[in-house]
Amino acid sequence: MYDLCVVGGGAAGISCAIAAGRLGLKVLLVDKNNKLGKKLYATGNGRCNLTNSQFDIIKHFNSSDNNYYAFVNDALDNAYNSKIPNQQIIDYMHSIGIRTTNENNYIYPNSAQASSVVWAMVDELKLYNIEILLNTEIINITGKYPSFIIKSQNKAYKASQVVLSCGGAAYKSLGGTTAGYNLAKNIGHNIIPIRPCLCGLEVKEDVSEIAGVRAKVHIKLTDTNNNSFGESSGELQLTKQGLSGICIFEISSQVGILLNKGITPIVNVSFFNNTDNLYKLLIEKVEHNNIGNRTVVGWLNGYVNDKIAQYVCKKHNIDNKQISSQIPKTILLNIINDLNNMTFTVTNLYDMEQAQLTAGGIEISDINPNTMESNIIEGLYIVGELLDIDGICGGYNLTFAMLTGLKAGKSVYDKNKSN
């Protein structure tokens, strides 16, 4: 009989097992993969973006609960040793021997290797004699507190309490799974439909001619009525499918919500990166006929990528080799305005295998954020990506996973001690 069975050995599950093990509990950690932390090895392009020095609760999203900021705040509050989420992660890393470094507000391990984080966490599990069971998928959970039966295909395990930390469905090749949602649903939890997140966007427009282009841009997310739903700046990557890059990832959650509501999302792109001075300069040059005698693409290439220049000229039925000064002023102004606010109509999100995260999931109203315990099943805790909370890029989701895992581990101990 275990004090705790943790189902899922990612960042949240390992952190939970460490917290409980440090407090002296007998813990079983079960994972379906052949090694722990499989997704963690790949996070931050293999460098492991742990958290963010400018961490902000409002940079999280939820599909259905307008009070989710309060949930996130309570869930992360004093999960390890303070009220400050990013400092808690840094202190937690220090406690397992990982020093950190700040690169443009992104906090990484000093080694710049995700593997160093995984190995340190696994060594911590061994230090506290956490029993680890790999290549084992849990198919059913029955019983009730304080006697749960956790069943795999070949064996059943008994534990007083259970933590679900199976992660989401993104990156199936790295262990992404719907198993956690199925387990939670089977024992009475409501599941908000899951969708890809931190992913690219498929668009209606044919962008094959500009596929491969990368550009620093500013984007705004609107609907067809020009209602605003968010904005971001950063590198845009054009692909054969549509739009990608960090700035696109950061609006993908809101895009998914709009699509689920039947609202058509519009991505408005400024290839001038929202730089008013550059936009105004070009307008003034056209207005004062100060554009020289270069071809229109050559002239525009002084300000944007040549493929973008060719693309926008084709949109406005202008020959690439036409001399700029010979083009009517109204058409040049239209081209410049298009480059400053080019619209793309989103038709879909990239699929789960191309997504870094899963949005949707277990409804947060079913969870007590002060303990991460289920409000439906006593002695059951749900943490990390399984919950209907997702954050932007930059360490937000790893922070949420680790801290909710740590909080659940401590809560399991507190409940065990009180009984």
Side-chain angles (χ1 to χ4, degrees), residues 133-187:
L133 191 62
L134 299 175
N135 299 304
T136 302
E137 184 162 5
I138 299 304
I139 59 175
N140 195 23
I141 298 172
T142 58
K144 61 182 180 178
Y145 175 76
S147 182
F148 288 98
I149 300 174
I150 303 97
K151 298 179 182 177
S152 70
Q153 289 184 333
N154 303 315
K155 194 172 179 181
Y157 309 89
K158 291 184 178 181
S160 297
Q161 301 185 69
V162 177
V163 171
L164 290 183
S165 54
C166 309
Y171 272 148
K172 186 177 181 180
S173 59
L174 293 178
T177 177
T178 59
Y181 306 112
N182 295 334
L183 288 170
K185 184 177 180 179
N186 289 342
I187 51 182

Side-chain angles (χ1 to χ4, degrees), residues 4 16-17 19-20 23 25 163 404-414:
L4 170 63
C16 177
L23 292 167
L25 298 186
V163 171
T404 55
L406 289 167
K407 175 164 275 192
K410 182 178 181 297
S411 298
V412 167
Y413 168 80
D414 290 341

Side-chain angles (χ1 to χ4, degrees), residues 333-347:
L333 291 173
N334 287 339
I335 287 174
I336 294 168
N337 284 321
D338 200 358
L339 287 171
N340 193 50
N341 189 35
M342 190 176 292
T343 60
F344 296 92
T345 305
V346 180
T347 57

